[in-house]
Amino acid sequence: MNRETLTRIIEDLTEGLTPTLTAEDFPCFSAEATEGNEHISPDYLDIVAASLNKADIATFERAARAMDEGELAWLGFKVVYDPAEAVANTDNEVTKKYGDVGSADGDPLVFFCNDAKQCVASREWSPRDFFQMKDVTRGPSMHNEQFEGLTWTSVPLFDSVRVWLLGASDASSEVAALAAHVGFDVCVVDYDPAYVSESRFPDARRIVLSGGNFDELGAVKADSSDYVCVLTRGHMFDPEGCIWALENNVHYVGMMGCAGKNSRVYELVREAGMADEQWDRVKRPIGLKFGAKTPAELAIAIVAELVDVRYQQRYSEEARAKHEASLGRS
C-alpha cells in the first residue's frame, strides 16, 4: 500500500471528485488475485470509486494515520455482486448467529480495520458485516465468501517481511514460491545465473553475485527486521551466509543441514570472529520438525516456521495467548 495513494484519494474526495483506483494500488483486485473468481475482478474498482464520497474521507484518513504510526491494520472492501441476496441472506445452521439481518445494505463499502478490531467506515454495518470485516483482515481470511451475494477483500497497510534466501538450491526455489504465496517479500542471492533464473524464482527479487562465490555478499545490506534462510547449494557457502546475517543483525536466521556439517560451519564462523552468543541465534536446523525430506516438504517446514516467527513478531504476548486459548492450546 502506498501512502501517497491515500493522500491523493483524500484530496479528490475533498474536492468532490471521483478518485481513480487501480489494481496496482490495491493488489487484492489484481488479475492474479482475482483469477478464477467470477464474483470479483479488477473492473470492480471502478464501481468502488463511483460509490465514494466525502463521508469516506475519514476512512482513508484513518488508514493514512495507521501507516504513519506503523499499525497492524488493513483497508478492506465489501464487494457486492447480488445486492438483494447480500441483504436477504442470513446465517445458516452451522455458523454462529449474527441476527436476522444479512449485510446492512447492497452497496459496496470501503472500510478500515486494525488488529484491535477497530473499524471505520462511512456507513453503519450489520453484526454479520462486522464479523466479516474483522475476518477479512486476517489475510487470508476464512469466511470472506461464506455468504451469497457479496464477498470481502483487503490490502495490508504495513510492509511485508523480507525473506533473504542465500543460495538458489532446489529447496530455496520451493521456499521462494511458498513464502511469496503467504505474503513474504522474497529475495534470492547466488552467484550462478543459471540457478538464479526467473523460471526458478518467478516471484522473487534476484541478486547474482560475481566471482563464482559469495565474496560480494557483504556489499548487500539487510534490515534488522528481515529474515534470512541459509540454503546455499551443497552448503558450500553456509558460513558466509550465517556471518552476513549475524553482521546485519537480522530478526531471524536459520540454516539447513545435519549436525556434523553444522559443527564445521560453527568452526568457520568462530574463526571469522563471531561469538558463541551470536552463533546461538542461528536456528539449526531451519524449519519445523515433522519428517520433511524432499525440497518441497522442506519448504513447507521452513515457511511454516517463518510464519510462526512473523506471528510472534507482530502480535503481543497477550494477543497470542488469547489466540492460543481460542485454539484450545495453552
Side-chain angles (χ1 to χ4, degrees):
M1 187 70 236
N2 192 308
R3 175 65 167 78
E4 287 69 29
T5 297
L6 298 178
T7 300
R8 174 179 54 78
I9 293 173
I10 292 169
E11 291 174 349
D12 286 345
L13 294 176
T14 300
E15 296 176 10
L17 303 175
T18 299
T20 299
L21 308 183
T22 69
E24 182 178 359
D25 293 325
F26 302 99
C28 58
F29 286 95
S30 68
E32 293 78 12
T34 61
E35 183 179 7
N37 188 340
E38 296 181 1
H39 294 320
I40 182 172
S41 72
D43 294 339
Y44 196 81
L45 279 171
D46 294 334
I47 297 175
V48 174
S51 73
L52 298 175
N53 55 54
K54 291 184 178 181
D56 293 286
I57 292 175
T59 301
F60 290 99
E61 287 180 334
R62 182 65 182 88
R65 180 158 65 88
M67 293 191 73
D68 293 341
E69 297 177 357
E71 255 185 288
L72 197 62
W74 296 258
L75 195 65
F77 301 85
K78 171 186 169 184
V79 177
V80 179
Y81 56 88
D82 187 330
E85 189 70 24
V87 174
N89 184 25
T90 55
D91 303 310
N92 55 47
E93 294 302 317
V94 176
T95 59
K96 179 180 178 180
K97 303 306 178 186
Y98 289 93
D100 298 324
V101 179
S103 184
D105 56 46
D107 298 320
L109 180 69
V110 179
F111 64 92
F112 165 90
C113 186
N114 64 11
D115 187 56
K117 308 308 178 189
Q118 298 170 343
C119 288
V120 176
S122 61
R123 302 192 308 277
E124 292 188 5
W125 52 77
S126 69
R128 200 190 72 193
D129 284 335
F130 187 50
F131 156 67
Q132 294 191 281
M133 290 161 72
K134 292 185 296 181
D135 186 71
V136 77
T137 61
R138 296 201 300 179
S141 61
M142 296 190 294
H143 306 101
N144 57 316
E145 296 173 347
Q146 182 171 332
F147 301 100
E148 300 300 326
L150 77 171
T151 185
W152 305 77
T153 189
S154 67
V155 290
L157 297 170
F158 49 89
D159 293 333
S160 300
V161 173
R162 180 185 297 147
V163 173
W164 295 88
L165 304 179
L166 304 185
S169 60
D170 287 347
S172 184
S173 176
E174 297 282 0
V175 169
L178 188 54
H181 187 63
V182 297
F184 288 101
D185 177 19
V186 182
C187 182
V188 59
V189 182
D190 203 302
Y191 59 86
D192 191 334
Y195 288 98
V196 195
S197 63
E198 183 177 4
S199 60
R200 283 169 61 84
F201 296 92
D203 300 315
R205 184 161 65 97
R206 302 180 300 279
I207 296 179
V208 181
L209 306 174
S210 62
N213 52 44
F214 272 66
D215 289 354
E216 290 186 349
L217 183 60
V220 181
K221 299 302 177 184
D223 294 331
S224 60
S225 59
D226 293 348
Y227 301 174
V228 174
C229 301
V230 181
L231 306 168
T232 66
R233 292 177 290 112
H235 310 296
M236 293 184 293
F237 298 99
D238 284 6
E240 289 85 345
C242 290
I243 292 168
W244 179 82
L246 294 171
E247 287 180 339
N248 281 273
N249 194 33
V250 297
H251 183 79
Y252 166 90
V253 52
M255 177 181 68
M256 187 165 59
C258 62
K261 187 273 295 183
N262 289 351
S263 295
R264 180 54 184 155
V265 174
Y266 165 71
E267 294 172 358
L268 294 171
V269 168
R270 287 288 284 137
E271 289 174 9
M274 293 291 109
D276 280 343
E277 54 266 29
Q278 290 176 292
W279 173 249
D280 289 341
R281 292 193 55 224
V282 179
K283 173 61 166 51
R284 53 192 195 277
I286 190 173
L288 302 183
K289 296 180 181 179
F290 54 77
K293 294 292 184 182
T294 69
E297 291 170 348
L298 289 168
I300 294 172
I302 292 168
V303 176
E305 182 164 89
L306 298 180
V307 169
D308 188 53
V309 172
R310 181 175 62 182
Y311 164 66
Q312 295 184 54
Q313 182 182 11
R314 283 180 172 172
Y315 293 90
S316 66
E317 184 176 346
E318 180 183 359
R320 297 199 308 271
K322 182 178 180 180
H323 180 62
E324 290 296 306
S326 73
L327 297 176
R329 303 188 305 216
S330 58

